[in-house]
Amino acid sequence: MKKEASLKSKQPCFAKLKVFLVMLSLLFFGKSFAGSYMKSTITSIERRFDLPSAVVGIVDGSFEIGNLLVMAFVSYIGAKFHRPRVIAIGATIMSIGTLLIPLPHFLMDRYSYQSIALSVDNASSTLCERNRELLPNTSHKDDLFNCQHEVRSKMWLLVLLGNILRGIGETPIVPLGLSYLDDFSRPENSALYVGYVFTISIIGPIFGFLLGSFTTKLFVDIGFVSQNDVTITPKDNRWVGAWWLGFLITGVTSLLLALPFWFFPRSISGEVEESTKMDDHVETNMKNMEDETEPMSRNLSDLAKEFLQSLRTLFTNPVYVAMLTGTVFMVNGNVGSYTFRAKFVEQQFGESASKANFLLGATSIPAIALGIFLGGLLVKCLKLSLPACARLLFITCLIGWLLDLCQFFIFCENIRVPGLTTAYNGTLGNSSNGMISSCNADCACDSQAWDPVCGQDGHTYLSPCLGGCQKKTGEGKSMIFLDCQCVAESMLGNSSAMLGHCPRQDCSASFILYICLEVLAPFISCLGYTASYLIFIRGIPKDLKSFALGMYIVMARTLGGIPAPMYFGAALDKTCIRWSEKACSDQGACRLYNVDKFRVTLLSLTSSLRFFGLIFYFIMATFVHRRQKSEAEQVVMQNGQEDQMQASAVVLADNGTDGGMIRNLLSGPEPDGVQVLNNVPSSNALGSGEGMLRESNGDLEKESSV
């Protein structure tokens, strides 16, 4: 004990488990901070570079592409090297990629948008003038000029590259960080530590979405353009927020959080039993670390053989395969949903991107954090076995899925745009595109213009010309249009219009109900989040923990994180009813969606994917129960009738407490002997039979002595 205490005192103060736990939690915070901010700027990036949702989905999914490129190598080979330094290298690369993303903003021209309030000769180009004809040659020359300069829009490829680098750098943080933490902690504390790390990491998205709410409220060229010259508002479909500003903040944050990991040693002092010696779990893992001090002495062929053998071990484990498959479906639903969640709030409820990001950061994300923390606390306090963890995961996800189905019945009416979502004065237009009616037929309007005005009749016209407006008064944001013939056909009296969209009909009740569901459903679902990671960690041999987590991340992001934003975006593009036009391509960003089709498409994809995930979670729970049952029967046969009677006595005593009753509810009916395993540390619940026999006998002796 004295020798151990002296060795411990010689170590630097930061080379301790609790210090590593704090720094790893902060690094998880940093990576989730940057990742959530990326989600909050999807709409601004889409509009700034004039991209359809399918393409912006590729930009968002490029983070997972970066993970995929190196995950298998880092999670397997990286575990055999100095893990804290590998984490430090990855975090530094992640920060460099984050700082590369805003670079296009400083290389591109200032953002421009079509608006009559900015036109020099707006009266002759946008207002309705009877018997006037368009000048196609001028328009064609403008298109040729714009086409020559459209190469600048390819700057979005720098955003793609930066996000790929961010994904590459993030790769070692999760598998190496969690395995390093688990190797030097007692099994009964591991669940709480994992829950603590992920709880802190969920705080990152809170700050990420709140930062996104702040930056998207600012105009993209803030500091370069006077705010008085901006004639659109954050609720306008042409608005682009200062998306680049937050990446500078998150990049510097990630760089600072990477510094401490350069100074952690290869192994740290594990948790020590208060009255005796170091825990066997820690001693075993420290011995494994000592055996791996010379990984370079082994040739490449041996590593390749071990890699293939480890891969075979993982993918012949039915629990691991079922859990992984279910998680892939869940990740597809979650990633696709949260990528376009802010856009959903904008389109469905008419709120700005700033308010949508604020609500996500202030409501649903804290609910997720609380759910993860309480779930980890629940696993620790009740000492849940793997079957109980599997049931907890399935039940919580099932309840959350049922609550999500309620969103199908929450909806609001789309904005009324004559020619797109409604008709002119109750009749369809007399042109093939539906934008021309009797009130504007003589105006020679550009039907592709997007400069919306709100008429006194409550309809949004895509331009003053399409509204039949012939006069204007005022300047800038206060400009008012008079003698609007289309407005006059819909109502008696005032026939004026103002810049911008018309406000939607009151939808506050539906919006409040939606927010309540967005708080309750994620909270319940995330109660089983910690249990899901413990199933991955504890359901496999100890020497494959890092590799198993790495393969889990590879598969989840390859089959979930990468394709989900792409096909979600492509499906949502099908619901678009009005596109912006680009000089050298068919379409740019979507200006207006059919909100009913948008809602049904998004929610149908999300709920279907989560349903398939629930099916595989149920299969996984069945496999865990059967394996535990089989191993418990072997324990009973080995220990004999005497040990079986002792086990029954332990169970009766345990059931006398509230914690035992709750564990029984989660565990369900199990054969004799299974309850004995509930008192065994979960790290050995699915381990080798010999190890289980030793630990079960040890637990029985301790319980009987008590």
Side-chain angles (χ1 to χ4, degrees), residues 70-107:
V70 297
M71 176 58 75
F73 175 81
V74 169
S75 61
Y76 185 73
I77 304 297
K80 302 180 181 299
F81 291 88
H82 197 300
R83 285 181 288 182
R85 290 182 183 173
V86 175
I87 293 173
I89 294 172
T92 303
I93 296 175
M94 180 177 67
S95 63
I96 293 174
T98 305
L99 293 173
L100 180 63
I101 292 176
L103 185 61
H105 171 75
F106 301 99
L107 301 178

Side-chain angles (χ1 to χ4, degrees), residues 59-372:
V59 175
D60 183 71
S62 61
F63 174 83
E64 279 72 24
I65 294 176
N67 265 257
L68 174 63
L69 293 176
V70 297
M71 176 58 75
F73 175 81
V74 169
S75 61
Y76 185 73
I77 304 297
K80 302 180 181 299
F81 291 88
H82 197 300
R83 285 181 288 182
R85 290 182 183 173
V86 175
I87 293 173
I89 294 172
T92 303
I93 296 175
M94 180 177 67
S95 63
I96 293 174
T98 305
L99 293 173
L100 180 63
I101 292 176
L103 185 61
H105 171 75
F106 301 99
L107 301 178
M108 297 176 66
D109 294 332
R110 300 301 114 212
Y111 174 63
S112 61
Y113 54 91
Q114 180 184 12
S115 176
I116 186 175
L118 298 177
S119 301
V120 177
D121 189 19
N122 47 47
S124 62
S125 60
T126 308
L127 291 179
C128 173
E129 292 183 2
R130 300 294 177 179
N131 302 319
R132 178 175 60 86
E133 295 183 359
L134 287 176
L135 300 176
N137 293 334
T138 303
S139 177
H140 180 66
K141 291 180 180 179
D142 291 341
D143 286 346
L144 290 177
F145 176 80
N146 293 333
C147 188
Q148 293 174 357
H149 292 79
E150 190 170 330
V151 66
R152 289 188 175 275
S153 66
K154 301 300 181 183
M155 288 290 180
W156 65 269
L157 293 174
L158 285 177
V159 180
L160 180 75
L161 177 61
N163 211 29
I164 291 176
L165 284 178
R166 196 171 65 85
I168 292 175
E170 192 264 355
T171 302
I173 296 176
V174 176
L176 301 187
L178 292 183
S179 63
Y180 189 86
L181 181 66
D182 185 70
D183 283 339
F184 302 103
S185 62
R186 288 200 294 267
E188 59 269 23
N189 289 336
S190 181
L192 184 62
Y193 291 164
V194 171
Y196 178 80
V197 169
F198 281 104
T199 300
I200 298 299
S201 71
I202 291 297
I203 299 177
I206 297 177
F207 283 86
F209 280 107
L210 292 179
L211 179 62
S213 174
F214 173 73
T215 57
T216 52
K217 188 183 298 184
L218 305 175
F219 188 65
V220 59
D221 292 323
I222 183 174
F224 301 93
V225 175
S226 174
Q227 297 300 301
N228 295 328
D229 296 335
V230 180
T231 61
I232 55 178
T233 65
K235 288 190 176 183
D236 196 290
N237 289 342
R238 296 164 292 178
W239 178 269
V240 176
W243 60 275
W244 53 273
L245 182 59
F247 287 111
L248 299 178
I249 298 174
T250 57
V252 172
T253 301
S254 299
L255 185 61
L256 294 177
L257 293 176
L259 294 178
F261 288 88
W262 293 101
F263 305 103
F264 279 101
R266 184 185 184 89
S267 60
I268 57 179
S269 57
E271 295 179 323
V272 181
E273 296 288 350
E274 295 181 0
S275 58
T276 57
K277 60 181 181 179
M278 183 179 294
D279 188 85
D280 292 339
H281 172 74
V282 179
E283 285 187 345
T284 302
N285 285 290
M286 291 188 69
K287 184 177 180 181
N288 291 337
M289 294 298 101
E290 294 173 358
D291 294 338
E292 295 172 354
T293 54
E294 297 181 0
M296 298 302 295
S297 63
R298 308 169 66 185
N299 57 45
L300 188 60
S301 62
D302 291 339
L303 291 176
K305 291 179 182 179
E306 287 187 7
F307 177 83
L308 294 177
Q309 182 61 36
S310 299
L311 199 64
R312 180 181 179 183
T313 301
L314 286 182
F315 286 94
T316 54
N317 186 328
V319 173
Y320 183 82
V321 172
M323 181 68 186
L324 181 61
T325 306
T327 301
V328 166
F329 279 108
M330 289 293 184
V331 169
N332 271 268
N334 293 335
V335 170
S337 174
Y338 274 95
T339 299
F340 299 102
R341 184 63 57 86
K343 177 180 285 190
F344 175 77
V345 173
E346 287 183 78
Q347 296 295 326
Q348 186 66 48
F349 303 103
E351 301 294 343
S352 65
S354 175
K355 187 173 182 179
N357 288 324
F358 175 80
L359 291 173
L360 284 174
T363 56
S364 60
I365 302 301
I368 292 174
L370 183 61
I372 292 177

Side-chain angles (χ1 to χ4, degrees), residues 300-504:
L300 188 60
S301 62
D302 291 339
L303 291 176
K305 291 179 182 179
E306 287 187 7
F307 177 83
L308 294 177
Q309 182 61 36
S310 299
L311 199 64
R312 180 181 179 183
T313 301
L314 286 182
F315 286 94
T316 54
N317 186 328
V319 173
Y320 183 82
V321 172
M323 181 68 186
L324 181 61
T325 306
T327 301
V328 166
F329 279 108
M330 289 293 184
V331 169
N332 271 268
N334 293 335
V335 170
S337 174
Y338 274 95
T339 299
F340 299 102
R341 184 63 57 86
K343 177 180 285 190
F344 175 77
V345 173
E346 287 183 78
Q347 296 295 326
Q348 186 66 48
F349 303 103
E351 301 294 343
S352 65
S354 175
K355 187 173 182 179
N357 288 324
F358 175 80
L359 291 173
L360 284 174
T363 56
S364 60
I365 302 301
I368 292 174
L370 183 61
I372 292 177
F373 177 76
L374 293 180
L377 197 62
L378 183 67
V379 172
K380 174 179 171 59
C381 293
L382 300 183
K383 299 180 181 179
L384 299 181
S385 63
L386 283 187
C389 287
R391 289 185 178 88
L392 176 65
L393 175 63
F394 174 76
I395 292 172
T396 54
C397 289
L398 176 61
I399 297 174
W401 177 74
L402 293 175
L403 290 173
D404 284 336
L405 293 181
C406 298
Q407 294 185 14
F408 278 99
F409 308 101
I410 303 175
F411 56 88
C412 293
E413 181 184 342
N414 202 353
I415 61 174
R416 292 173 288 180
V417 181
L420 291 179
T421 63
T422 187
Y424 280 90
N425 195 24
T427 60
L428 295 176
N430 58 11
S431 120
S432 59
N433 60 24
M435 302 304 301
I436 307 301
S437 182
S438 58
C439 60
N440 57 24
D442 297 334
C443 297
C445 301
D446 181 5
S447 61
Q448 300 301 321
W450 185 270
D451 192 10
V453 294
C454 176
Q456 290 293 320
D457 57 351
H459 290 69
T460 299
Y461 298 90
L462 296 188
S463 71
C465 183
L466 289 173
C469 302
Q470 302 182 48
K471 299 178 181 179
K472 72 178 183 69
T473 181
E475 299 292 337
K477 296 179 182 180
S478 60
M479 187 176 293
I480 298 177
F481 304 93
L482 306 174
D483 295 335
C484 301
Q485 299 301 313
C486 296
V487 178
E489 286 187 357
S490 301
M491 61 182 297
L492 297 176
N494 196 344
S495 60
S496 62
M498 301 177 62
L499 278 176
H501 299 93
C502 291
R504 292 174 183 263

Side-chain angles (χ1 to χ4, degrees), residues 1-79:
M1 292 294 292
K2 293 181 179 179
K3 182 178 180 180
E4 182 180 325
S6 62
L7 290 175
K8 185 176 180 181
S9 62
K10 294 180 181 179
Q11 292 183 343
C13 61
F14 57 82
K16 298 178 182 178
L17 181 66
K18 297 297 177 63
V19 177
F20 182 83
L21 172 64
V22 172
M23 298 313 304
L24 183 65
S25 300
L26 291 176
L27 188 58
F28 268 63
F29 165 85
K31 75 180 186 64
S32 61
F33 181 32
S36 59
Y37 182 76
M38 181 70 187
K39 296 288 185 186
S40 71
T41 59
I42 285 297
T43 301
S44 293
I45 292 175
E46 176 181 334
R47 294 172 181 171
R48 181 64 181 95
F49 298 99
D50 215 5
L51 304 173
S53 296
V55 176
V56 83
I58 296 176
V59 175
D60 183 71
S62 61
F63 174 83
E64 279 72 24
I65 294 176
N67 265 257
L68 174 63
L69 293 176
V70 297
M71 176 58 75
F73 175 81
V74 169
S75 61
Y76 185 73
I77 304 297

